[in-house]
Amino acid sequence: MQLTDQFGREIRYLRLSVTDRCNLRCFYCMPEEGIHFLPKDQLLSYEEMIRLCGIFTSMGVDKIRITGGEPFVRKDLIGFIGSLADNKQIKKLSLTTNGILTRPYLSQLKACRIQQINLSLDSLDAQNFHKITRRDEFDNVMSTFHQMLDEGFAIKINAVVMPGINDHEIVPLAELAMNYPVSVRFIEEMPFNGTGSVHAGIKWDHVRILAKLKSRFPDISPVPAAPNSTSQNYTFYKAMGDVGIIAAFSRTFCGTCDRIRITSTGEMRTCLYGHNVLDLKALLRQGERDEVIRDSIVRVVQKRARDGFEAEKLRGTNNPIGESMSVIGG
Ligand code: SF4
């Protein structure tokens, strides 16, 4: 069977968060003091995650991305990824990381069928990196970036564009795609910042980011988007890689959305902007059979919001967005 929503969108992509913890404190994601991190027994165990992934791949999911918080903050992650890679129904297994703890595991990741890694990097300036992340890890992350290049990973750089913080670095970040075979993606800022304060609109949307890129690369031209892609990519003269823009706040790509999320606590989300719709951990821990869990998944997917705006509205006024991205998994 192929899991499909009521709009005919096939669900093929699962974003699995393995932890709510992180070793950075990016201010657009969580407050300096961090968030109330959950005790381990409230998180899905690796065995539960393997079982859930098996259920989803039996319903047509063939792409799984490991996210966090920061995945490598969770112990024995590489063992878990190795077990997950044994599920041959997964055609594409990938990872999002901030690169701080990642380097020692790169060759093992390759052995686990991980070819593509998203690296979060919002600045190419050590001081500004520190200002954004509240940690002194710039050199470490750049060493990971270069070792990932040397080891031949397909790299996507994710940079959130923040007014007055790193908007002056849009061009230097984009120039990475001139000098390296990487895809540099600029992401509109989102309101998942752990403070509960609702975001008052964005200053750097996809239109303005593109205009900035055009000012540096006048010949910039769109690259045909991969099906279901959230990133609109562009190339330019002498580019070794490409640049992309993810209109994550403007939500221009919901019509082809093929993804769902599982948080590290086993909550299922059918839209990033929506609320949790199904407690998979509860179903597992009350001993439900796979078929029962599958039926529950089908039911909530059939009630999925048309797009991120509808999903946000369905949260209602008592449940405004404000949770940290690290509890959702990006
Ligand atoms: S905002 Fe929601 S519906 Fe739109 S692409 Fe993201 S997850 Fe899908």
Side-chain angles (χ1 to χ4, degrees):
M1 73 156 291
Q2 175 56 56
L3 186 60
T4 307
D5 69 18
Q6 75 271 42
F7 304 105
R9 295 175 293 192
E10 294 187 348
I11 307 300
R12 291 184 170 279
Y13 179 12
L14 171 62
R15 297 176 65 98
L16 174 66
S17 170
V18 296
T19 181
D20 58 343
R21 293 168 190 254
C22 188
N23 45 6
L24 288 180
R25 293 286 179 274
C26 304
F27 75 83
Y28 57 80
C29 177
M30 66 172 85
E32 179 142 20
E33 66 279 10
I35 55 172
H36 168 64
F37 295 120
L38 295 164
K40 192 157 182 245
D41 64 353
Q42 289 192 34
L43 302 187
L44 288 173
S45 68
Y46 284 145
E47 295 70 26
E48 288 169 330
M49 290 180 192
I50 295 283
R51 182 172 163 207
L52 284 175
C53 288
I55 290 172
F56 279 100
T57 53
S58 74
M59 303 167 86
V61 164
D62 58 15
K63 180 179 169 184
I64 297 184
R65 175 172 295 280
I66 309 291
T67 69
E70 165 50 36
F72 278 101
V73 166
R74 187 156 177 178
K75 262 177 75 214
D76 306 328
L77 178 76
I78 209 73
F80 162 66
I81 296 178
S83 311
L84 189 57
D86 291 340
N87 177 344
K88 298 305 179 214
Q89 290 177 301
I90 304 170
K91 293 204 184 80
K92 190 172 180 193
L93 193 50
S94 54
L95 171 79
T96 296
T97 179
N98 62 26
I100 292 172
L101 300 171
T102 319
R103 221 168 32 258
Y105 301 100
L106 287 175
S107 52
Q108 288 167 282
L109 286 172
K110 262 256 163 89
C112 299
R113 299 200 284 133
I114 295 225
Q115 310 286 343
Q116 194 277 311
I117 299 180
N118 286 13
L119 181 66
S120 309
L121 182 65
D122 304 305
S123 175
L124 292 176
D125 171 85
Q127 274 184 333
N128 209 20
F129 180 97
H130 186 276
K131 188 173 156 192
I132 295 166
T133 66
R134 300 165 176 135
R135 296 290 183 274
D136 223 353
E137 295 285 358
F138 177 71
D139 295 341
N140 184 356
V141 174
M142 291 313 289
S143 302
T144 301
F145 169 62
H146 287 287
Q147 191 166 328
M148 283 161 62
L149 279 171
D150 295 346
E151 303 214 15
F153 283 94
I155 305 169
K156 294 178 181 175
I157 301 265
N158 285 350
V160 177
V161 180
M162 299 157 277
I165 303 290
N166 68 341
D167 46 7
H168 64 288
E169 294 199 67
I170 291 174
V171 169
L173 282 161
E175 285 171 346
L176 281 178
M178 228 162 121
N179 306 321
Y180 303 104
V182 297
S183 185
V184 179
R185 293 110 56 85
F186 297 98
I187 306 175
E188 293 177 346
E189 201 181 344
M190 289 176 277
F192 304 99
N193 51 29
T195 66
S197 59
V198 177
H199 193 100
I202 54 171
K203 306 259 179 320
W204 281 92
D205 68 359
H206 59 285
V207 177
R208 195 174 169 205
I209 295 170
L210 181 57
K212 181 75 182 175
L213 292 170
K214 272 191 177 147
S215 70
R216 166 66 181 84
F217 310 105
D219 69 321
I220 196 166
S221 56
V223 176
N228 316 106
S229 173
T230 55
S231 182
Q232 174 56 63
N233 292 354
Y234 301 85
T235 187
F236 47 84
Y237 179 61
K238 286 203 173 163
M240 285 182 71
D242 60 29
V243 291
I245 302 173
I246 300 179
F249 186 79
S250 308
R251 288 158 261 190
T252 55
F253 38 67
C254 299
T256 58
C257 179
D258 66 341
R259 60 204 144 265
I260 49 172
R261 292 165 171 84
I262 301 179
T263 70
S264 56
T265 55
E267 296 283 355
M268 183 175 152
R269 265 194 195 205
T270 50
C271 173
L272 175 63
Y273 281 83
H275 50 74
N276 297 335
V277 292
L278 183 63
D279 186 345
L280 293 162
K281 183 182 68 191
L283 293 174
L284 290 170
R285 294 187 182 176
Q286 71 200 38
E288 293 297 354
R289 301 189 323 280
D290 286 7
E291 302 82 77
V292 174
I293 298 175
R294 233 178 253 122
D295 294 346
S296 309
I297 292 168
V298 168
R299 261 198 307 280
V300 292
V301 166
Q302 281 300 314
K303 286 186 274 176
R304 205 172 172 227
R306 179 182 294 281
D307 60 28
F309 295 103
E310 186 182 295
E312 188 173 355
K313 218 183 283 162
L314 289 171
R315 294 172 70 120
T317 47
N318 304 337
N319 180 17
I321 289 178
E323 64 271 35
S324 164
M325 190 61 97
S326 82
V327 298
I328 309 167

